[in-house]
Amino acid sequence: MRSNAHTSIPMIGDIFITDWIRNHPAEFGLVVAGAIVVLGLFVYGFRDLLRLTPKRIWAVSGVVFRESIRRKVLWLTPLAMLGIIVLTGLQEPDDASDAIRQTLQFCLFASGLLVVIAGVMLSCTNLPRDIDSKVIFTIVTKPITRLELVAGKILGFSRVTGSILILMGLFTWSYLHYRAWRLEKVISEQISHTMENEFARGRLEHQQRLGLLDTRALRSTSQFEMLARERAPNSQTRWISTQQSFLVPFSVDPADLVPQGFHDPSKGEAAPNPGEAGLRVRISLSAEQIGKVERAAPVVRAPMLPAATENRNPYGEAEFRVSFVSLNGDVDLIPSANINGGNPTEVTPGQYGKTIYVNIDPKVAPALAQTRNWGVVISPVNENYLIGMAPGDVSVIVPGAKPELNRELKPPVDRETELPALMARGNNGRSGRMLEGPADSYHSLAIAHFKGDAPHPSDNGMVTLEMTMSIDRLDDDASVDATHIEVQVHNLTTGKTSDKYPVTPENARVAYADVPAELFEGGQYDVKVRVTTRGHAVTLNPASIAVVQERSSFVINLVKSLLSQWMLSILVVTIGFFCSTIVSWPIAIVLCVVLLMGRWAVDQVSDSLQPGIGALLATDMGAKDATQARVISAVGDGLARMLNLLSQFLPSIDVFSTGGMLERGLAMPLHMLASAGWILLVFGLPFFTLAYIRLRNKEVAP
């Protein structure tokens, strides 16, 4: 009988390679790119590499550049400039900074679009046109290698796109300065007169002082919490109200939720499913009564009972609820009816450290095994009490067959504080967490913790805080006047605390506060924010409070952005020239666009290409037969995996997008340029090599 053993080895190898490629696409891509370059240039093209002369490459690029100029490619730039002027003239922004932002957006978009279109058209049509016009015959008969020809043409196209960017850069700089000068004059006139919207004065004065083309580097908070009151000195206990909650994050493997002692491995018994024995949440906390100070009304017993009275607490009991949420989207994982029987848990006021256990129904506890990262949320119920808790006061118990077999799961340690993770947060708002104004017995605050290098002060010795928040009015009785907040900075290194700076924020606009630089020495400090208008609230998130780390030149920032666009244009012309060596120019244009946009397109529909798309496809196609449904599901999942895998070998053009930072006035960090350069190197060099190999083997002359 014939054995099939020899056929199983390649299959196992293929599966191993496929799995490794699927799990390590970046590493495999680097291996493939390196192999193409080494084999193509240093093995196959070694002779041409030795004969490589920069002078001949520059000569070829000069011919390409002059030919492109004769084709009036640069005439596209005046048309783009005219379009920008017309569009910005039609815009009517509400704010001067918005006007500058829109103008810069138009300029950068037009610059990027021009160089990409010019790069695609020139690189995809140049070689086919040279072949059709017989110009290539003259070139290849000269003492020039095909490697120098490819390098010279790509360099020539890059010189053309670079010239376009230089012209657009000069126009952008000039036009933005002109618009800023005009708008700053308008701002000065507004400030000199009584304004209809007086709480916008602070923002306008800041724009007048620093200019509309101010460029700065921002540092956002590393930690953010909302509390009912500040922590006591040398205490880790945090206090929250009913408008806030505690979130304790966990990162747990499904195996950690398997109860112990319920099976005997020596007898071949299978282990129970994760969470099958239920779960218990161990909580240590305290409650503090904050209700109005008043005596409890005596309750008179019925006439047939002895004449006596008993006091009844008019504030109710201190209670809290427990819920489980996914850290990716804050979605409830377990129904509230299955946690402690659906009832809130009581806590005795003042007894901090008393251990309370909350039981999770075994029927729903296995749901936590489906998500690795989830959190336990502690929410107060009675508004007459504050709930206090410290890091490490919450853990999850996986019950075993015996108490000694219980497994305790603890939250990860916060790298900033080196304590078990614990986050105090406000209720959900429109774009973050809500911070409410003062209540009768407490005044909530938000604390943004910063740790890093100290910011560089401005010329006036001050450091600027930038705050962006949404504003809400919580009830009909709230004041219709402007919302007011106060900002305070506490230095953790020196112990100094600033004055309370009043700020009047505008909805979804940047508000500013200037604080003396001495409050930021050492780089470790807290920024505290309180809403001082009763009945008002602001919505904050970790990006809402930022510190201006340093200021830089707008010109340098613009040059960085244009340099990133130029690197994108070099990648475009390299891919375009490669495509022109294998197909005709119309198809080359389409192929070039597909190679450039393929990764981006897959990223846009990545949610639809996750595992399970095959089953959904089978359902949509109405497959009734089980075998047919399995085939459709397998094919659909396989195609989705293949598409996701292939996209990893295409360039990610998102790294070349820098317009968003410039529009917001943010300094572009050097690592963004480094990332763009890395993508150009990893993808551009292999395509350059493939273009050389193809052209060397392409018959272009008799």
Side-chain angles (χ1 to χ4, degrees):
M1 183 175 179
R2 185 177 174 179
S3 174
N4 293 327
H6 67 283
T7 63
S8 63
I9 296 176
M11 291 178 63
I12 294 174
D14 291 343
I15 293 173
F16 172 76
I17 293 175
T18 303
D19 289 342
W20 187 86
I21 294 174
R22 185 184 301 115
N23 296 327
H24 305 84
E27 292 84 349
F28 182 72
L30 286 175
V31 172
V32 173
I36 291 174
V37 173
V38 171
L39 296 177
L41 291 182
F42 295 94
V43 177
Y44 181 74
F46 187 68
R47 288 185 177 180
D48 289 346
L49 193 62
L50 292 178
R51 296 174 55 192
L52 195 68
T53 304
K55 185 177 180 180
R56 290 199 290 263
I57 294 176
W58 185 257
V60 173
S61 72
V63 173
V64 173
F65 179 78
R66 288 190 295 272
E67 181 184 358
S68 300
I69 297 300
R70 284 196 297 268
R71 295 179 65 187
K72 298 180 174 57
V73 174
L74 295 183
W75 282 100
L76 293 174
T77 54
L79 294 177
M81 296 173 186
L82 181 61
I84 292 171
I85 294 173
V86 172
L87 285 175
T88 54
L90 296 175
Q91 297 293 323
E92 295 182 0
D94 297 331
D95 181 65
S97 61
D98 291 340
I100 294 296
R101 185 180 299 112
Q102 291 176 4
T103 303
L104 185 56
Q105 181 181 15
F106 291 146
C107 291
L108 294 178
F109 175 78
S111 301
L113 187 63
L114 273 180
V115 295
V116 169
I117 292 177
V120 170
M121 297 303 298
L122 290 174
S123 61
C124 290
T125 61
N126 180 267
L127 182 62
R129 190 181 63 257
D130 284 353
I131 295 176
D132 292 341
S133 63
K134 306 298 190 291
V135 174
I136 195 69
F137 297 169
T138 305
I139 298 177
V140 297
T141 56
K142 301 295 182 182
I144 183 173
T145 65
R146 300 294 174 90
L147 182 61
E148 292 170 332
L149 179 61
V150 174
K153 284 188 172 292
I154 291 177
L155 179 58
F157 301 142
S158 302
R159 289 172 61 183
V160 175
T161 57
S163 300
I164 293 175
L165 288 174
I166 290 175
L167 293 176
M168 290 300 299
L170 292 174
F171 167 77
T172 300
W173 181 86
S174 304
Y175 188 55
L176 280 172
H177 276 78
Y178 169 74
R179 292 218 72 192
W181 172 70
R182 292 283 303 272
L183 292 169
E184 286 169 4
K185 289 182 63 177
V186 174
I187 291 175
S188 299
E189 293 178 1
Q190 290 177 332
I191 294 176
S192 62
H193 299 87
T194 302
M195 300 173 57
E196 180 180 352
N197 186 8
E198 277 296 325
F199 51 84
R201 183 177 294 275
R203 171 173 52 85
L204 295 178
E205 290 176 346
H206 180 87
Q207 293 174 354
Q208 183 190 43
R209 185 174 69 255
L210 295 175
L212 293 174
L213 296 179
D214 177 43
T215 302
R216 69 267 191 246
L218 297 181
R219 179 185 294 278
S220 297
T221 176
S222 57
Q223 289 183 317
F224 193 87
E225 60 182 348
M226 293 183 176
L227 305 173
R229 63 166 63 137
E230 290 192 58
R231 297 202 306 263
N234 303 320
S235 173
Q236 291 297 329
T237 302
R238 296 159 167 82
W239 293 91
I240 62 172
S241 68
T242 53
Q243 310 302 325
Q244 298 156 341
S245 62
F246 286 118
L247 172 66
V248 184
F250 287 84
S251 182
V252 179
D253 290 324
D256 295 332
L257 298 176
V258 175
Q260 296 179 316
F262 291 95
H263 71 294
D264 189 350
S266 62
K267 296 180 180 180
E269 297 177 356
N273 295 324
E276 191 171 309
L279 298 172
R280 304 177 72 193
V281 183
R282 181 196 64 81
I283 304 173
S284 297
L285 47 71
S286 179
E288 178 182 319
Q289 183 174 303
I290 58 171
K292 295 179 180 179
V293 179
E294 59 183 33
R295 289 290 179 182
V299 177
V300 181
R301 297 187 176 185
M304 69 284 300
L305 297 178
T309 61
E310 61 181 12
N311 287 332
R312 177 170 54 86
N313 189 347
Y315 309 115
E317 303 298 333
E319 297 176 324
F320 65 90
R321 289 187 182 274
V322 175
S323 59
F324 288 81
V325 299
S326 169
L327 297 183
N328 300 321
D330 205 10
V331 179
D332 285 335
L333 299 176
I334 295 179
S336 58
N338 299 104
I339 302 176
N340 200 39
N343 300 314
T345 304
E346 294 184 3
V347 55
T348 303
Q351 293 187 358
Y352 178 75
K354 180 181 179 181
T355 302
I356 301 172
Y357 292 92
V358 177
N359 297 316
I360 312 302
D361 194 330
K363 297 178 181 178
V364 297
L368 295 179
Q370 306 300 319
T371 304
R372 178 182 178 86
N373 299 312
W374 42 266
V376 177
V377 177
I378 311 295
S379 304
V381 174
N382 192 327
E383 63 182 6
N384 293 313
Y385 293 88
L386 300 181
I387 296 295
M389 185 182 294
D393 282 351
V394 176
S395 62
V396 175
I397 308 296
V398 182
K402 300 177 181 179
E404 57 268 21
L405 296 178
N406 290 351
R407 181 187 290 119
E408 184 175 13
L409 308 178
K410 297 183 178 181
V413 175
D414 191 307
R415 289 179 295 180
E416 298 288 343
T417 62
E418 299 183 355
L419 296 171
L422 174 65
M423 180 186 301
R425 57 185 191 170
N427 289 339
N428 280 323
R430 286 181 289 177
S431 58
R433 298 286 171 175
M434 292 183 64
L435 176 67
E436 299 190 359
D440 290 334
S441 305
Y442 62 92
H443 193 175
S444 296
L445 75 158
I447 305 178
H449 304 285
F450 289 84
K451 184 177 182 181
D453 297 331
H456 298 284
S458 302
D459 295 337
N460 58 358
M462 308 292 279
V463 172
T464 302
L465 301 178
E466 293 191 3
M467 296 159 286
T468 308
M469 56 196 71
S470 301
I471 298 175
D472 292 292
R473 290 173 174 81
L474 303 179
D475 52 61
D476 295 336
D477 297 333
S479 171
V480 296
D481 295 334
T483 302
H484 300 281
I485 65 174
E486 60 182 20
V487 181
Q488 193 174 29
V489 177
H490 174 69
N491 190 294
L492 301 178
T493 303
T494 63
K496 296 180 179 179
T497 302
S498 71
D499 298 330
K500 296 179 179 179
Y501 295 94
V503 177
T504 305
E506 299 175 81
N507 189 43
R509 291 189 179 275
V510 180
Y512 305 92
D514 290 329
V515 182
E518 61 179 356
L519 272 304
F520 301 89
E521 293 179 4
Q524 296 190 47
Y525 50 90
D526 290 342
V527 178
K528 304 174 183 179
V529 178
R530 290 182 176 87
V531 179
T532 57
T533 308
R534 193 178 184 88
H536 289 213
V538 298
T539 303
L540 302 173
N541 57 60
S544 295
I545 301 176
V547 178
V548 177
Q549 196 70 13
E550 60 181 344
R551 302 190 184 277
S552 59
S553 169
F554 170 76
V555 175
I556 295 176
N557 216 30
L558 179 61
V559 169
K560 290 179 183 178
S561 179
L562 295 177
L563 181 58
S564 178
Q565 290 186 348
W566 189 53
M567 286 191 285
L568 173 61
S569 72
I570 296 175
L571 180 62
V572 168
V573 298
T574 304
I575 295 176
F577 188 79
F578 162 73
C579 294
S580 71
T581 63
I582 57 177
V583 292
S584 61
W585 70 264
I587 302 177
I589 292 175
V590 176
L591 180 59
C592 179
V593 173
V594 170
L595 292 175
L596 287 170
M597 302 295 293
R599 176 76 170 269
W600 175 85
V602 172
D603 289 342
Q604 299 306 304
V605 296
S606 58
D607 293 340
S608 302
L609 298 178
Q610 298 302 315
I613 182 63
L616 181 61
L617 183 62
T619 302
D620 293 341
M621 294 180 66
K624 299 180 180 179
D625 181 72
T627 303
Q628 184 183 23
R630 283 197 299 270
V631 171
I632 295 176
S633 178
V635 172
D637 287 337
L639 290 175
R641 287 195 299 269
M642 182 181 298
L643 193 58
N644 280 320
L645 182 62
L646 289 177
S647 70
Q648 300 300 313
F649 298 96
L650 298 177
S652 176
I653 60 175
D654 289 340
V655 300
F656 299 97
S657 177
T658 60
M661 296 195 68
L662 265 72
E663 292 164 21
R664 295 164 54 197
L666 301 180
M668 180 179 171
L670 290 177
H671 70 79
M672 292 187 66
L673 279 179
S675 299
W678 175 249
I679 294 296
L680 174 60
L681 178 67
V682 170
F683 290 94
L685 198 55
F687 276 110
F688 169 82
T689 305
L690 292 174
Y692 158 68
I693 295 173
R694 175 58 183 162
L695 188 60
R696 181 174 173 179
N697 291 277
K698 186 179 181 67
E699 293 296 334
V700 296

